[in-house]
Amino acid sequence: QAGAQDNTTVSALDWLKKIADSSRTVSYAGTFSYQHGRRVETSRVVHYVNQAGGVFEKLETLDGPPREVIRANDHVTAYLPDSKLVLVERRSTRHLPMMLPDKLSDLNSQYEVKTQEIDRVGGLACQWISVTPRDKLRYGRKFCAELESGLPLRAQVFNERSEILESFGFSQLSLGSKFSKDQVASKYEARAQAQKWRVDHSALNVMEQAADTGWTVNNVPPGYRKAMEVKRTIVGRPVAMPHLVYSDGLTAISIFIEPKQREIGNKPL
């Protein structure tokens, strides 16, 4: 029985590895919904990965105020037509639906990872994998991975009472589509230029530099390790802001430290 349990764990970890790899390598186009609490947002996405590893993506919201996000590797442009605003920034590549660890085997000490039933999402068969915490310090997760590619078709975050806090799922999906520049081109770019929408480049002035910030965190929860420590420079701020990230391999906690301004009368120093 112990041997069978070990095999199940290995199989489940292999599925998580497949999910992590597919999010970086599979091209797809489809419609998905994201739910957080009572808020539900539906979006259309086109995501292409070329052989050299370049990522091109177009994300368009279908609910509420229109918003379109165009990505070419780490260069991201967001169009907000209601505000006549274009936001330009550099951002590390985002992979749907959530972060997964580099060393999946490290999850075993903090989570129980199991394969569950075969299901169907958006007309495609998928394998459910559950990641259940062994304590009450973190949330659990479930993924349903498409059988061939491993792309997560549905994902859920749940608490200790098995209540779903956050969910993501495709309602329609096409895998392995051929690349077409037209499909990842902005439908607002020409209008934004003609109508002279305001272009905000301020996010490009945010700089990160790996450094010893001089800050330490005591009583870190079991399994969490420092994953990143940088000094973040933001235009308009007098000093660089320390930023520390701790992760257990599945979830991450960000800590920003901003010096409190001392005041003399009504004037900050």
Side-chain angles (χ1 to χ4, degrees):
Q1 186 176 2
Q5 187 174 5
D6 289 344
N7 288 336
T8 301
T9 301
V10 171
S11 177
L13 290 175
D14 287 344
W15 269 109
L16 287 185
K17 179 66 165 61
K18 194 172 182 179
I19 289 173
D21 290 344
S22 73
S23 297
R24 290 187 289 263
T25 59
V26 177
S27 295
Y28 55 86
T31 302
F32 68 90
S33 293
Y34 171 77
Q35 180 172 358
H36 181 77
R38 295 182 178 180
R39 181 184 175 188
V40 180
E41 184 176 88
T42 305
S43 302
R44 182 184 297 117
V45 63
V46 179
H47 179 96
Y48 286 104
V49 183
N50 64 22
Q51 292 183 348
V55 176
F56 303 90
E57 186 176 272
K58 176 179 177 179
L59 181 69
E60 182 181 6
T61 59
L62 303 179
D63 302 326
R67 185 175 77 252
E68 180 189 73
V69 180
I70 305 295
R71 173 190 292 277
N73 296 316
D74 66 345
H75 189 274
V76 178
T77 305
Y79 294 89
L80 309 176
D82 284 2
S83 306
K84 291 183 168 53
L85 175 64
V86 181
L87 301 174
V88 182
E89 63 178 312
R90 293 195 182 279
R91 195 188 308 165
S92 59
T93 305
R94 175 183 54 82
H95 303 300
L96 292 173
M98 300 168 190
M99 180 184 69
L100 286 173
D102 293 327
K103 296 182 179 179
L104 291 167
S105 58
D106 290 347
L107 289 178
N108 281 332
S109 59
Q110 308 301 330
Y111 297 90
E112 183 179 16
V113 186
K114 288 184 175 181
T115 53
Q116 297 185 316
E117 72 276 11
I118 301 290
D119 202 351
R120 209 163 68 98
V121 173
L124 298 171
C126 59
Q127 170 71 60
W128 277 107
I129 302 96
S130 65
V131 186
T132 306
R134 299 184 187 275
D135 57 30
K136 295 183 179 180
L137 298 175
R138 59 207 91 212
Y139 292 139
R141 282 164 167 73
K142 288 180 68 178
F143 304 93
C144 202
E146 197 270 325
L147 295 184
E148 294 297 325
S149 67
L151 188 75
L153 305 183
R154 183 166 291 166
Q156 300 169 345
V157 179
F158 57 90
N159 62 18
E160 67 276 8
R161 296 185 296 276
S162 297
E163 297 169 338
I164 297 176
L165 305 176
E166 184 179 79
S167 66
F168 158 96
F170 281 103
S171 57
Q172 180 275 325
L173 180 67
S174 174
L175 291 169
S177 304
K178 291 184 178 180
F179 178 74
S180 168
K181 273 192 174 182
D182 292 340
Q183 289 184 285
V184 292
S186 171
K187 68 181 182 181
Y188 295 112
E189 182 178 10
R191 189 197 310 179
Q193 292 175 352
Q195 298 179 356
K196 297 182 179 179
W197 292 7
R198 184 167 67 90
V199 181
D200 185 346
H201 293 93
S202 61
L204 293 175
N205 296 322
V206 177
M207 298 176 59
E208 290 184 352
Q209 181 179 2
D212 181 356
T213 64
W215 288 87
T216 58
V217 178
N218 297 324
N219 302 318
V220 177
Y224 281 89
R225 301 182 182 88
K226 186 164 62 178
M228 185 177 76
E229 183 175 12
V230 299
K231 287 186 176 179
R232 184 185 291 263
T233 303
I234 302 175
V235 172
R237 300 294 176 92
V239 295
M241 184 186 303
H243 178 200
L244 292 84
V245 177
Y246 286 80
S247 175
D248 68 353
L250 187 65
T251 59
I253 300 172
S254 281
I255 303 170
F256 294 91
I257 303 159
E258 184 173 11
K260 183 178 180 181
Q261 291 183 330
R262 292 184 298 157
E263 294 185 1
I264 297 179
N266 293 324
K267 295 182 178 180
L269 283 177

